[in-house]
Amino acid sequence: MAGMTGKPELRALTSMRGIAAWFVVLYHIRLSIAGLPAPWVGFFAKGYLAVDFFFLLSGFVIWLSWSEKFRASGFAAMPGFLHKRVARIWPLHLFMLGCAVGLAGLFAATGRQEEVNYPFRELPLHIALVQNWGFTGQLSWNDPSWSISAELGAYLLFPLLTLAIDWRRVPNWAVLAAIAALVALLHATMARGGAPSLGTDIPRFGLIRCLIEFSAGTAICALWLRWKARPHAPAIISAMIALLIATLWAAGMPETLAVPALFAALLLALALTSGMRRNPLDNGALHYLGEISYATYLGHFLLFVVFKLALVDDPHAVPPILVALFLLLVLGSSVALYHLIERPAQKWVNGLYSSPARGGGPFAPSGKWWRGLSPNVTLLGAPPPPRAEEANGPPPRAGEE
């Protein structure tokens, strides 16, 4: 199935995005499910780690979709890039934030002021999506949006990253070493700050967690681009490395070191095996869950708040039948949010921008200073070789551009 740009899609990665989003849902409701066995509570308690997979995947996808454009146009590609990324993440975030404001207003009107969870003094930060840049001390409003705030920081980093390093000019061993160094840097940063897990003190560590894993995702994409023509051997090796790291994690390796490394190897293995015959992750239903995963991720948290207020007597012992009903509501609301809010709003915001080559638009860059920045400037590596599109055809998509 081709994406919006006509490029073939790595469907397995889209499906994994959907699975990861549902893992986050189960993480948030695990302590409310009546009678859930302790081992399952413990398993779902690791659902916050799905966000780390999101960050790696985001770096992979953005590098695949945009690195060539930045090399071809330099900083002239930056306005279009940021416009598309804002169109992708901001409209649905703003809609859900509006729902949270309505919920806070309802609490206030009924005498149940929720200043801790819905602090109006921090609302401008959430509107601007900078709430997790060190300006707040705890998660509030729509808690999952912290990672979208961190992603915005990664998008601002990306143009500098493409000019700082050209992974095509870096040998395999050095790319692998760079990924290992980034994983070690994240572990050292969190260990030095006294964080025993990746989910510790998100307002403090969330942004750096995102930036490092996003950067590692770009390097993983570089490896995939080199090995995708002959994927079987590197896919098997990557899967074996992932299994080894999972074993070491179970044996006591720190989560802050094991999980980013595990997910990096897993992401590469999944990318290399995407499209292979009988790959279950290419399944249409799983793929659709991935398509609507952003709506699932941003919508479920507030829905659970409303669901408990309306239908639940004991929020720590929700009967299984009500849990099943909630999960169906999450699925239905994800479909509705995706088709009625997310996609139409994304299309509308994208329509506000057109590239200078097409004559510009109300938000297109003007003046000559953008064009004066050389597209061939890199801090590491020689001037780039011919573009990948010229040598191998257009690169495939891995979800969305």
Side-chain angles (χ1 to χ4, degrees):
M1 176 180 173
M4 290 174 63
T5 61
K7 300 173 184 177
E9 178 186 0
L10 294 173
R11 291 174 62 90
L13 299 189
T14 302
S15 297
M16 276 302 300
R17 197 172 68 224
I19 293 170
W22 278 92
F23 202 21
V24 174
V25 174
L26 294 170
Y27 164 74
H28 281 135
I29 70 171
R30 72 194 188 283
L31 298 178
S32 296
I33 304 175
L36 186 66
W40 283 104
V41 173
F43 178 69
F44 293 146
K46 293 299 182 180
Y48 64 88
L49 296 174
V51 177
D52 296 275
F53 186 81
F54 287 147
F55 290 152
L56 286 161
L57 178 58
S58 181
F60 184 106
V61 172
I62 298 300
W63 187 268
L64 180 62
S65 300
W66 283 94
S67 60
E68 291 293 339
K69 297 175 185 177
F70 273 95
R71 291 194 196 100
S73 304
F75 270 112
M78 188 170 180
F81 167 73
L82 291 178
H83 190 100
K84 281 185 173 291
R85 300 324 302 161
V86 168
R88 175 73 176 91
I89 65 174
W90 190 73
L92 184 59
H93 161 70
L94 188 63
F95 177 83
M96 294 309 305
L97 187 59
C99 293
V101 170
L103 184 60
L106 177 63
F107 283 139
T110 55
R112 293 179 292 178
Q113 189 70 33
E114 287 274 356
E115 181 61 26
V116 173
N117 293 321
Y118 307 102
F120 278 91
R121 67 184 181 278
E122 295 178 4
L123 189 58
L125 298 175
H126 287 259
I127 293 173
L129 264 180
V130 297
Q131 73 270 23
N132 211 69
W133 292 14
F135 300 123
T136 60
Q138 67 176 48
L139 303 184
S140 59
W141 291 100
N142 188 21
D143 285 15
S145 67
W146 77 265
S147 66
I148 312 305
S149 172
E151 280 272 341
L152 181 60
Y155 298 156
L156 295 175
L157 170 69
F158 179 74
L160 302 177
L161 187 61
T162 59
L163 294 181
I165 188 168
D166 183 355
W167 289 122
R168 297 172 303 173
R169 309 296 297 179
V170 181
N172 289 341
W173 68 266
V175 178
L176 291 167
I179 296 171
L182 287 166
V183 170
L185 175 62
L186 177 57
H187 168 65
T189 300
M190 300 198 73
R192 184 178 179 84
S197 72
L198 288 166
T200 301
D201 199 354
I202 288 174
R204 180 182 176 191
F205 294 108
L207 180 60
I208 189 66
R209 177 178 162 196
C210 173
L211 295 180
I212 291 176
E213 291 175 335
F214 179 95
S215 299
T218 68
I220 295 168
C221 181
L223 293 176
W224 175 79
L225 287 169
R226 297 176 186 191
W227 297 336
K228 63 187 177 72
R230 295 182 177 179
H232 292 87
I236 292 172
I237 294 172
S238 298
M240 292 176 63
I241 292 174
L243 181 60
L244 173 62
I245 297 172
T247 303
L248 293 174
W249 181 26
M253 178 183 283
E255 177 184 293
T256 51
L257 180 62
V259 170
L262 167 61
F263 284 171
L266 179 62
L267 175 58
L268 182 57
L270 290 169
L272 288 167
T273 56
S274 182
M276 286 188 179
R277 189 177 180 183
R278 296 180 180 176
N279 186 337
L281 291 175
D282 287 340
N283 176 274
L286 286 177
H287 179 266
Y288 183 69
L289 288 182
E291 289 284 334
I292 64 174
S293 61
Y294 184 52
T296 302
Y297 180 74
L298 273 191
H300 77 276
F301 188 83
L302 289 175
L303 179 61
F304 195 45
V305 174
V306 174
F307 182 84
K308 288 186 292 184
L309 288 172
L311 298 176
V312 174
D313 295 325
D314 183 356
H316 299 293
V318 181
I321 186 66
L322 287 183
V323 172
L325 175 61
F326 171 71
L327 296 178
L328 286 174
L329 288 174
V330 171
L331 179 60
S333 65
S334 299
V335 172
L337 287 171
Y338 177 75
H339 290 287
L340 300 179
I341 305 296
E342 179 186 344
R343 294 296 287 157
Q346 181 182 0
K347 183 178 180 180
W348 180 79
V349 175
N350 278 330
L352 297 177
Y353 179 92
S354 60
S355 68
R358 293 188 302 230
F363 296 97
S366 59
K368 297 181 179 179
W369 73 277
W370 291 101
R371 299 174 180 85
L373 296 171
S374 171
N376 293 326
V377 174
T378 56
L379 300 183
L380 293 178
R387 297 177 60 189
E389 291 96 330
E390 298 169 3
N392 305 313
R397 290 178 68 238
E400 80 286 328
E401 191 173 345

